[in-house]
Amino acid sequence: MKNYTVLTTYILLGLTDDPTLQILLFIFLFITYTLSVLGNLTIITLTFVDPHLKTPMYFFLRNFSILEVSFTTVCIPRYLYTLATGDNTITYNPCAVQLFFVVLFGAVEFFLLSVMSYDRYVAICKPLHYTTIMNSEICIKFLISCYLISLIIILPPYIMGFKLEFCDSNVLDHFGCDAAPILKITCSDTEFLEGFVLVLAVLVLMFTLSCVVMSYTYIIKTILRFPSVQQRKKAFSTCSSHMIVVSITYGSCIFIYIKPSAKEGVAMNKVVSLLTTSVAPAMNPFIYTLRNKQVIQAFKDMLKKIASISKD
């Protein structure tokens, strides 16, 4: 017989107990979080106010930035609070909420990246029909579908998680509430749940990755047929930023989730999770803007307007 308890509080171990490393980690995360919020909010603002950025491509980029801000805000501020105060406890309800949104936003990101790939496919392979195919109504339907499908996928395993039973441990070997460390401390048999989650993760990964690969296969074939070298460079430049973000996102996901058991190797995932929730959202605005002349020009125009208003 085992003693099952209802956990009301979890203790988060974080990444390190070293006070010096904690200070450095706090500074690093504060900088990356600030850059992420400022960078993504800049993209959101520009795509709202600049008339040249009213195309489907920038509609999806704006919503991707909203998603990135939401994703990093769910994880990083709570860990910054822990590093600043030393309070590494979190109660059950906030932990469940954090886990829900981390998984939801993570799933939505994959579907949204595949939709963005399709948008680039239509823009490059079917330019004459682009405005007809990717009209505002279709774009909104695509966006809503990303969230609805993700919600339908994550709810069954999430609800099953409420039936888990715990013995005497409430220590999570992570800096936030994630599925793997929770499954590690449960007394319940998690084989079915882990298998179910793995199947869902692989299906989402394979489906969205197939969409991305198919889109870019047709894109590359079309670009290579362009007669002008300048046209080919411009087309590749338009797609390169998205391809970099796709590579980072899928690479980190494969590293974290394609493994034998959630009860093994939790420690090695913490650093990757930290990079995924802090560094990647900070890098993405720069990846998308540094190679995009329209966004750079829109940013310059906005700075000029702000400067003229401040002079007046």
Side-chain angles (χ1 to χ4, degrees), residues 296-312:
I296 292 172
Q297 187 58 48
F299 182 67
K300 289 178 181 177
D301 293 341
M302 187 176 72
L303 290 179
K304 287 177 184 176
K305 287 180 182 178
I306 293 171
S308 62
I309 291 170
S310 60
K311 286 179 181 178
D312 295 339

Side-chain angles (χ1 to χ4, degrees), residues 56-61 63-64 67 107-123 130 133-150 204 207-213 215-216 219 242 246 250 288:
M57 173 184 172
Y58 295 108
F59 169 81
F60 291 121
L61 181 55
N63 282 283
F64 186 76
L67 185 64
V108 172
E109 186 167 328
F110 287 103
F111 286 104
L112 190 55
L113 285 172
S114 64
V115 170
M116 292 168 77
S117 300
Y118 176 73
D119 171 69
R120 291 298 83 211
Y121 157 74
V122 177
Y130 181 63
I133 297 173
M134 300 301 293
N135 58 63
S136 57
E137 185 180 348
I138 291 295
C139 291
I140 292 169
K141 284 181 179 178
F142 268 132
L143 180 65
I144 293 171
S145 297
C146 289
Y147 280 90
L148 281 179
I149 294 170
S150 299
V204 170
F207 174 75
T208 55
L209 187 57
S210 297
C211 293
V212 172
V213 170
S215 295
Y216 275 101
I219 287 170
H242 184 253
V246 166
Y250 281 91
Y288 274 113

Side-chain angles (χ1 to χ4, degrees), residues 61 64 113 116 241-242 245 284-290 292:
L61 181 55
F64 186 76
L113 285 172
M116 292 168 77
S241 300
H242 184 253
V245 173
N284 290 345
F286 297 100
I287 293 171
Y288 274 113
T289 56
L290 290 177
N292 192 310

